[in-house]
Amino acid sequence: MQANSISSVVRGREAALARVQALSGLTFALFLGVHLVNVLLAPFGPALHDAVQGSLRAAYQAPPVELVVVLGALVVHVSTGVMRARRRQHAVRNQATRWQRRLGWGLVVIVFGHTLATRGPSLVYGVWPEFAGISFSLNWLPAWFYPYYLAFGLAAAFHGGLGVLRALRLLGWRPATPGRRGAALLLGALAVLLLVALLAYGGVLFPIADPMANDYAKLYLGP
């Protein structure tokens, strides 16, 4: 009886952690989705891209929203993921789940580094990357940033998309799933859209302002 009682408590704690992780993941996914949509607007030009980003930024960088919906949700999601991983005793057989978790560990490092590089300058110097900042990074170190942005976007979409579906099921919803072939097609389409967006940022699709002459570039290159 005592062993059953302890086992029940452990299962209850695991279920509570899973729900917290699901809710925090869904919350952060709102920001992730908005961020991806903004990136995909790059082929429509810097003016539209920056106008939409400015409007969205006024919402998601408002202190209560940024601290709770973005930073708070991210920290809680990562923390509960770490706690659940330490308690996990059996290997996962589902290949998609294994990839999602592996990508999650990699994204933990990338997201915090990415946030420091993009949000840090705005907090300290009042300079936002915007279209020009991304153009600078792609022209400054193209061999690094083209694959970095493409891999980052796809990894975040895969981890976040699969996480949203599983979080909704855990919370009692039953969303339709695309299946393996559908998921592969969606990722392939997203890869194409992201590549087109990167070519727009890089000045390949249409002429852009000198990427080395904006305020964001000057922070890294000096005056």
Side-chain angles (χ1 to χ4, degrees):
M1 291 293 293
Q2 186 176 7
N4 290 336
S5 178
I6 293 174
S7 178
S8 177
V9 170
V10 170
R11 286 196 300 269
R13 289 177 178 174
E14 173 62 20
L17 276 177
R19 290 180 68 85
V20 171
Q21 187 182 26
L23 287 169
S24 59
L26 287 173
T27 302
F28 187 76
L30 293 173
F31 169 73
L32 174 63
V34 165
H35 204 51
L36 276 174
V37 169
N38 191 203
V39 167
L40 296 180
L41 290 177
F44 297 96
L48 177 62
H49 175 278
D50 290 350
V52 172
Q53 187 179 79
S55 299
L56 294 172
R57 190 169 60 220
Y60 67 70
Q61 286 187 357
V65 178
E66 188 169 32
L67 288 174
V68 177
V69 176
V70 183
L71 182 60
L74 178 61
V75 170
V76 170
H77 189 66
V78 171
S79 300
T80 51
V82 170
M83 286 188 284
R84 293 187 69 201
R86 293 183 63 181
R87 293 167 179 240
R88 200 171 291 126
Q89 298 179 351
H90 302 289
V92 177
R93 295 182 179 180
N94 184 278
Q95 188 175 11
T97 301
R98 288 202 304 269
W99 272 105
Q100 186 202 21
R101 290 176 178 173
R102 289 169 184 168
L103 289 172
W105 292 119
L107 287 168
V108 168
V109 178
I110 296 173
V111 165
F112 284 105
H114 183 80
T115 301
L116 181 63
T118 56
R119 187 68 175 106
S122 63
L123 288 172
V124 178
Y125 301 103
V127 174
W128 284 265
E130 299 187 323
F131 189 101
I134 301 174
S135 297
F136 157 67
S137 64
L138 290 171
N139 283 272
W140 182 36
L141 295 172
W144 166 257
F145 279 107
Y146 273 101
Y148 164 75
Y149 285 132
L150 182 61
F152 186 18
L154 291 175
F158 182 85
H159 181 83
L162 187 57
V164 165
L165 290 175
R166 291 181 171 170
L168 291 176
R169 287 201 295 269
L170 179 66
L171 297 173
W173 293 25
R174 292 293 181 269
T177 57
R180 289 186 178 181
R181 181 174 297 180
L185 289 173
L186 287 174
L187 278 177
L190 179 60
V192 172
L193 292 174
L194 284 173
L195 182 58
V196 172
L198 291 175
L199 293 175
Y201 283 122
V204 177
L205 298 186
F206 45 76
I208 60 173
D210 183 357
M212 303 298 177
N214 57 78
D215 291 338
Y216 188 79
K218 292 174 182 177
L219 284 177
Y220 285 88
L221 300 178

